[in-house]
Amino acid sequence: MKTITAKAIHNSLPQEKIRQGSLFGALTDDCINFILKEGRILELAQGEKAFDSGDSGNAFFVVLEGSLSFVKLHNGKLYSTRDIGFGEEVGFVAMIALHNHAGYAVANCDSRVLEVTSDLFARIHENYPFDFGIITLNLARDMARNIRKLSNALVENSIKH
C-alpha cells in the first residue's frame, strides 16, 4: 500500500471524471479539492486490503480507480457481499454506526482509493456545509441502493413456503 498526493490523482483522473462518481456528484470544485487534499489516497495492489475485519470503523473508502470487493465475516465464514466500483464507497456504515468493520475490503485489481476519516467528514461539515448535505444525500442514496440489492439477493436465495 502506497500513499499518493491529490496532484498525482488529478494527473490521471480529471476533475470532470471525479465528479461522475456517485459520492462526488454535484459537489463544488473547492470541496472536491479539499477532500482529495485532506484525505489519504492509497494505491492498492491486487489482493491488498483497504481495511480488515475488526479494524476500527473510523473511516470510509471511495474507489477512484479500479475496484474492491467487500468480504463479510459471519459465524466464522467469509461471504463476498458486493463489489465497489468507481465513485462508490465502502465502510460508511461502520463509521456512522460507530462499529468496527465486520469484514474486509480487498482490491480486485490495482486500485486507488480515497480514505475519508470521521475527522475529515466533520471538517467537510464545518468548511463546506452545503456540500456536506449533498455528500450525505449521495451516501444515503448509495446505502439505499445496496440495501435494495442485498434485499433482492435474500429473496432470490430464500426457500419458498
Side-chain angles (χ1 to χ4, degrees):
M1 182 181 322
K2 176 181 156 189
T3 302
I4 63 170
T5 65
K7 183 177 180 179
I9 199 69
H10 274 302
N11 288 338
S12 64
L13 194 62
Q15 193 89 342
E16 299 77 35
K17 174 71 174 168
I18 291 170
R19 184 171 280 104
Q20 292 173 12
S22 62
L23 179 76
F24 299 108
L27 296 183
T28 63
D29 285 343
D30 285 346
C31 184
I32 291 172
N33 291 332
F34 176 79
I35 295 168
L36 292 174
K37 182 176 177 266
E38 297 298 318
R40 191 167 66 135
I41 302 170
L42 306 170
E43 285 188 330
L44 302 173
Q46 182 178 357
E48 246 182 321
K49 294 177 182 176
F51 59 83
D52 209 343
S53 182
D55 285 355
S56 172
N58 64 347
F60 64 92
F61 298 80
V62 183
V63 174
L64 299 175
E65 294 177 338
S67 70
L68 304 176
S69 285
F70 181 70
V71 180
K72 182 170 176 51
L73 177 63
H74 182 74
N75 290 334
K77 295 181 182 177
L78 297 173
Y79 300 90
S80 181
T81 62
R82 67 185 177 110
D83 288 328
I84 301 93
F86 169 72
E88 297 175 329
E89 65 74 32
V90 62
F92 179 70
V93 170
M95 187 186 89
I96 210 70
L98 303 174
H99 292 163
N100 289 342
H101 291 289
Y104 62 85
V106 62
N108 294 322
C109 56
D110 291 351
S111 301
R112 290 178 169 178
V113 298
L114 169 67
E115 179 182 31
V116 179
T117 64
S118 53
D119 176 64
L120 176 55
F121 198 59
R123 289 190 295 137
I124 296 166
H125 180 257
E126 292 168 3
N127 295 317
Y128 299 93
F130 180 79
D131 291 280
F132 182 80
I134 293 170
I135 289 171
T136 303
L137 287 172
N138 291 343
L139 288 164
R141 186 178 302 112
D142 280 351
M143 278 195 315
R145 288 176 183 148
N146 287 322
I147 289 168
R148 173 67 56 97
K149 286 178 191 173
L150 291 171
S151 165
N152 288 343
L154 284 172
V155 169
E156 290 166 7
N157 292 292
S158 68
I159 299 171
K160 295 182 181 182
H161 294 279

